[in-house]
Amino acid sequence: MILTTQEKIERYTANGWWGTKTIGDYFLNLVEQTPEKIAIVDPANKASLCNSEFLTYTYTQLDDKIDQVADTLLSLGIEKDGIVAIQLPNIVELVITYFAVLRVGAIASPFPVQFREFECTQMLQSLQAKAVITLNEISEREHAKMFKALQEQVPSLQHILTYDKSDLDDVVHINLAQNVAPSEQLTRYKETQDVTANDIFTICWTSGTEGKAKGVPRSHNEWFISAYASVYAAQLNADDKILLTFPLVNMAGIGGVLVPWVLTGGTLVLHHPFDLPTFLSQIAQQQITYTLVPPSLLAMMIKNP
């Protein structure tokens, strides 16, 4: 889905501001160039957050898991320009989901984990989302059960997928513990995929301070603009270990950390929800070289050494 005018695309490309490679293209380059390098690490408190296994993957392993989820999406009929809602905390599965949705040419729309029935209903109806990917429980809240109840109000929502096993009827379990080879269907589909850098990658949401939350579509090229600002300002490179503290649902998380990570090829360490002792421990244990935190936290640390 391309929402930008052809005139703007041609002008921005001619000026060198926009390119032709997608976020997925940059990731596949990393898989080819540094296959055995550690790509991503789960938050240290993942077990208490969502009762799920702690994961850390190399670039090759991460690519395999992306294929597995993409295969599942394709088998459910989710293809180019289909919209997939996502409600997950900052865990490895969230990053896998973004790239799996991209791999089938669909559009990812992340929901903050604190959003409940009221917000999710409005956003799902606005999106006409075909699927939602979540967990059964996040911080003791039953998210899959919530989306199951919302299906009556959102006829487009055909599929609910979870990374932890669910007892609910018709909920699809994505079991990352299994090693599943890509299907012939996915292999053929990827060969004919025509996603461009001007296709929409995400639909993120405003906070709704002036009323209802509003969906904001962004293409790959539009994300690259803000991402390169972070890369250049922080002089990020492949040796960096980046600690992500902001929710991976909007500008700070995606433009400030996720896409810069893909552009530079370092290691991404996840954190959620913000907890100062865990944050400091991760910096020491993971040998973090770069992170992004709000100024209020830095001021608090200065006042309370």
Side-chain angles (χ1 to χ4, degrees):
M1 182 185 296
I2 298 176
L3 300 181
T4 308
T5 65
Q6 188 60 34
E7 183 275 332
K8 184 177 180 180
I9 292 172
E10 291 174 358
R11 179 160 55 92
Y12 280 27
T13 303
N15 287 335
W17 302 332
W18 284 3
T20 58
K21 293 176 67 174
T22 69
I23 294 169
D25 291 333
Y26 279 94
F27 175 77
L28 289 175
N29 284 343
L30 295 173
V31 175
E32 181 178 346
Q33 295 166 8
T34 56
E36 302 307 316
K37 181 177 182 177
I38 295 297
I40 193 164
V41 180
D42 253 329
N45 60 332
K46 184 179 183 182
S48 61
L49 175 64
C50 55
N51 194 31
S52 297
E53 179 186 1
F54 181 90
L55 300 174
T56 180
Y57 289 137
T58 65
Y59 277 100
T60 293
Q61 290 169 332
L62 186 58
D63 185 52
D64 290 341
K65 298 306 177 184
I66 291 167
D67 263 350
Q68 181 180 341
V69 178
D71 224 337
T72 300
L73 293 173
L74 198 60
S75 70
L76 297 174
I78 298 168
E79 300 181 356
K80 182 84 163 58
D81 296 337
I83 297 178
V84 179
I86 306 166
Q87 194 172 42
L88 292 166
N90 285 2
I91 56 177
V92 167
E93 289 90 336
L94 176 54
V95 176
I96 290 171
T97 302
Y98 272 122
F99 284 92
V101 172
L102 169 59
R103 194 155 288 184
V104 299
I107 299 168
S109 185
F111 294 2
V113 292
Q114 66 269 27
F115 280 11
R116 301 301 293 160
E117 288 87 348
F118 177 75
E119 297 92 347
C120 291
T121 301
Q122 291 180 344
M123 294 190 297
L124 289 168
Q125 290 174 338
S126 176
L127 292 169
Q128 290 297 290
K130 296 182 66 175
V132 62
I133 300 179
T134 187
L135 292 167
N136 282 291
E137 288 191 13
I138 305 171
S139 298
E140 299 182 354
R141 286 183 169 179
E142 297 180 308
H143 286 254
K145 188 175 182 180
M146 176 188 70
F147 285 111
K148 187 72 177 173
L150 295 183
Q151 281 186 297
E152 290 186 6
Q153 302 175 60
V154 188
S156 67
L157 186 58
Q158 302 171 22
H159 309 290
I160 299 170
L161 301 87
T162 63
Y163 283 102
D164 49 352
K165 191 169 178 58
S166 174
D167 294 329
L168 298 171
D169 292 339
D170 300 323
V171 170
V172 178
H173 175 217
I174 305 171
N175 184 5
L176 294 180
Q178 294 180 333
N179 294 318
V180 181
S183 68
E184 291 185 11
Q185 180 187 19
L186 178 63
T187 301
R188 290 195 302 269
Y189 186 81
K190 288 193 294 183
E191 290 172 352
T192 60
Q193 186 60 264
D194 59 348
V195 174
T196 74
N198 297 306
D199 275 285
I200 297 302
F201 172 49
T202 59
I203 299 176
C204 297
W205 295 86
T206 66
S207 60
T209 51
E210 297 179 353
K212 294 181 179 179
K214 302 172 184 66
V216 182
R218 268 183 186 272
S219 70
H220 299 254
N221 273 326
E222 288 167 333
W223 276 119
F224 285 139
I225 293 296
S226 57
Y228 273 118
S230 294
V231 171
Y232 295 151
Q235 299 181 11
L236 297 176
N237 60 57
D239 294 327
D240 279 305
K241 292 186 176 181
I242 305 173
L243 179 59
L244 172 61
T245 61
F246 279 82
L248 194 52
V249 298
N250 51 28
M251 183 60 71
I254 300 173
V257 177
L258 180 70
V259 182
W261 162 65
V262 173
L263 288 172
T264 55
T267 296
L268 180 63
V269 181
L270 303 174
H271 181 100
H272 195 132
F274 188 82
D275 177 76
L276 184 58
T278 303
F279 171 76
L280 297 174
S281 174
Q282 284 179 295
I283 289 176
Q285 292 180 6
Q286 299 291 338
Q287 299 181 314
I288 299 300
T289 59
Y290 177 77
T291 189
L292 191 64
V293 296
S296 58
L297 170 66
L298 299 177
M300 180 190 75
M301 292 172 67
I302 291 171
K303 292 177 181 178
N304 299 278

